[in-house]
Amino acid sequence: MAYCYLIIAIVAEVTATFCLTLSSGFTRLGPSCVTVVGYGVAFYALSLALRVIPTGVAYAIWSGIGTVLITLVCRVVLGQKLDLAAIAGMALIVCGVLVMNLLSGAGQHG
């Protein structure tokens, strides 16, 4: 269940960050409200995930996957450009998260 909470935290954070872009400096009510609620949900869900998943591992997954997802959402929805260096960087982020989770013992409580 902890990883479900982590997924919820990631989706909520990506949604909030995207709406932060649309809020125009908190001058648009709808996106501003989604931003505030989204970050609240993200941090609450992350706190629930941290009951089981070690903080370093959870944060690496949350921030890494969140970075890749928000970049892809902005690319698809807003047409933001990605160069080869950005794509390579995102691939390295995903690889790092996979290495931490599949090959490292850091994900286990000590």
Side-chain angles (χ1 to χ4, degrees):
M1 192 66 184
Y3 282 95
C4 289
Y5 289 131
L6 187 55
I7 291 168
I8 291 167
I10 293 167
V11 170
E13 187 265 337
V14 168
T15 301
T17 301
F18 179 71
C19 286
L20 183 62
T21 302
L22 301 179
S23 75
S24 296
F26 286 103
T27 60
R28 297 181 59 217
L29 183 61
S32 298
C33 290
V34 173
T35 296
V36 171
V37 171
Y39 282 130
V41 169
F43 283 112
Y44 179 69
L46 181 61
S47 75
L48 295 177
L50 292 177
R51 291 178 175 173
V52 175
I53 305 169
T55 304
V57 173
Y59 192 76
I61 296 169
W62 182 54
S63 61
I65 300 303
T67 299
V68 171
L69 286 178
I70 192 62
T71 302
L72 293 175
V73 167
C74 288
R75 169 68 181 111
V76 170
V77 178
L78 301 177
Q80 292 180 354
K81 302 295 181 207
L82 296 175
D83 58 14
L84 186 57
I87 294 167
M90 288 192 306
L92 289 170
I93 289 170
V94 171
C95 287
V97 169
L98 289 172
V99 165
M100 271 187 87
N101 283 283
L102 299 176
L103 304 176
S104 172
Q108 301 169 4
H109 282 285

